[in-house]
Amino acid sequence: MLAELGKLTGEPGRESFLRGAFTCAAGLGVTEALKWAWQIPSGKARDIALLTLFCKWSGKSTVDVLGDGGVARGGIADTLGSFLLKEGRATPEQVAAFAYDFVLGRRRALLIADAAVVLSATDPAKAFALGDGLSGNTDFLQRFATGWADHDPQAVWEWAGQIPDQETRREMQAIAMAALGESDPPTAAGYLQGMQLQGEFRASVIEELGTNWGAKDARAALEWAETFPDAADHASAKKGIRVSAPVGIGVAVGGFANNGYEVSSVMPESPASRAGGLVQGDRIVAVKDAHGNWLNSGDLNQMEFVGQIRGEPNTTAVLQVQGKDGGALRTVTITRQQLMLNP
C-alpha cells in the first residue's frame, strides 16, 4: 500500500486512494484493517485512513463526524478506539494495543484505562497489566480505579492496599472508599479506620463519606460521626452529612412571587410541622439573620434565602410570613433541627 501511495503526488489523488483503500479494508475486519492503518505514517494520511474506517463501521458520514463535534478531543484515533470498545467490536486488549500505537498524550492513558475497566469485570490482574507501558501514569490509575470501583469497590480496596507507593495507595483507597460510601457506608467507615490519612485529604475523605451516608441513612451517619474522638474529624463528618441531610426547619420553597418565597411543602415530623404556623402556599417575605436584622426575601436569591433558614441545631429561624390569600403579616419562630430526609 505504501508503495502505491508513494506513486501519487497530488493531494486529492492521495486522499482518494486512501479513502478507497480503507473502505475496502473496513470489510476485512478490525484486526486486518488496523494492520493496514499501522503501515501509514502518523499524520494527515493516517487520520484519513482512520476516519474512513470509523465512518464505515459507525455508519456516519464524514460530514456528520467532522461537522457536529463527533471527533473526540484526542482526535480521530481516540474517537475510533472509544467506538471499538463501546460497541464491542474489539477486545479490551486490542483497544489498548491500538491506543499505544495510534493515540497520543493523556488521551492514550484514558483510553487504555477505559479498556482496562471493561476487562476488570472478568480479569482484574490482566486489566491492570494493560497499563504496564504507562509507568504508573496517574491518569490511567485514577480512571481505572474509578471505573472498576463502580462495580467492585471492595476489590479495588484490596488491590490498592498492595500498591507500594504510599501516596498512590491512599489515593486509590480513597476512590474505593468513595464508591463504597455510596453502596455500603458502614464497610467504608471500617476501612477508613485503617487508613493513615492526614490533613485536608483526611477531612475531604471523611466529608464525602458523610455526604454519601447521610443520603442513605442520616441517623446511622450521625451516630457514626459521634464516634470520632478528634474534633476535626467529627466536624468533617457532620459537615458532609449536612450536605445531604441538612439542619433546618423542614420546608421546601418554590420560586419567588408576590414579595416572598412560597412554601411548596412542609416535611412531616419536621420542626415546622411540629411547631405549626407554616402551611403550603404561605409566602415567607423576610427572615432574620444571625444578628437579628430582618432581610427581605426579595433581596436574596433562592440559595441565599435557604442558607438563612438553615443553621445549627437548636438555633431559631424567625420568619415573617403572609398567607397565600394575603392578609396581615405574622411572625413565625421555629427551632432548627437535624432533618432526617430518609428512613
Side-chain angles (χ1 to χ4, degrees), residues 152-291:
D152 197 347
Q154 293 195 30
V156 176
W157 176 270
E158 294 169 4
W159 159 77
Q162 301 171 27
I163 296 175
D165 180 72
Q166 186 181 64
E167 183 176 352
T168 302
R169 180 172 65 251
R170 290 174 178 174
E171 289 179 0
M172 298 303 106
Q173 287 179 327
I175 289 173
M177 196 167 66
L180 266 174
E182 296 183 3
S183 60
D184 188 357
T187 298
Y191 286 168
L192 176 64
Q193 293 180 348
M195 296 177 70
Q196 302 300 313
L197 305 179
Q198 302 295 330
E200 292 183 4
F201 186 54
R202 177 177 179 84
S204 66
V205 170
I206 293 174
E207 185 176 331
E208 183 173 13
L209 178 54
T211 298
N212 290 333
W213 201 341
K216 294 179 69 69
D217 188 339
R219 288 185 175 85
L222 288 165
E223 291 173 2
W224 161 71
E226 296 302 324
T227 66
F228 284 105
D230 182 80
D233 290 346
H234 179 267
S236 296
K238 294 290 281 289
K239 181 179 178 182
I241 293 167
R242 288 173 184 173
V243 171
S244 52
V247 173
I249 62 174
V251 298
V253 296
F256 185 83
N258 298 326
N259 298 320
Y261 283 99
E262 183 176 325
V263 176
S264 56
S265 65
V266 178
M267 184 189 306
E269 302 303 317
S270 67
S273 173
R274 291 191 294 268
L278 281 177
V279 296
Q280 183 177 0
D282 281 346
R283 292 186 302 279
I284 304 174
V285 300
V287 57
K288 274 190 178 181
D289 66 13
H291 305 291

Side-chain angles (χ1 to χ4, degrees), residues 11-27:
E11 194 69 24
R14 290 169 62 85
E15 289 191 16
S16 179
F17 172 81
L18 285 167
R19 294 185 191 282
F22 279 90
T23 295
C24 294

Side-chain angles (χ1 to χ4, degrees), residues 38-61:
W38 188 81
Q39 298 177 49
I40 308 297
S42 178
K44 183 177 180 180
R46 178 180 280 184
D47 285 347
I48 291 172
L50 297 179
L51 178 61
T52 302
L53 292 177
F54 178 66
C55 289
K56 290 297 294 182
W57 288 333
S58 68
K60 295 182 178 181
S61 70

Side-chain angles (χ1 to χ4, degrees), residues 27-45:
L28 301 177
V30 171
T31 301
E32 190 64 27
L34 293 183
K35 287 181 181 178
W36 284 34
W38 188 81
Q39 298 177 49
I40 308 297
S42 178
K44 183 177 180 180

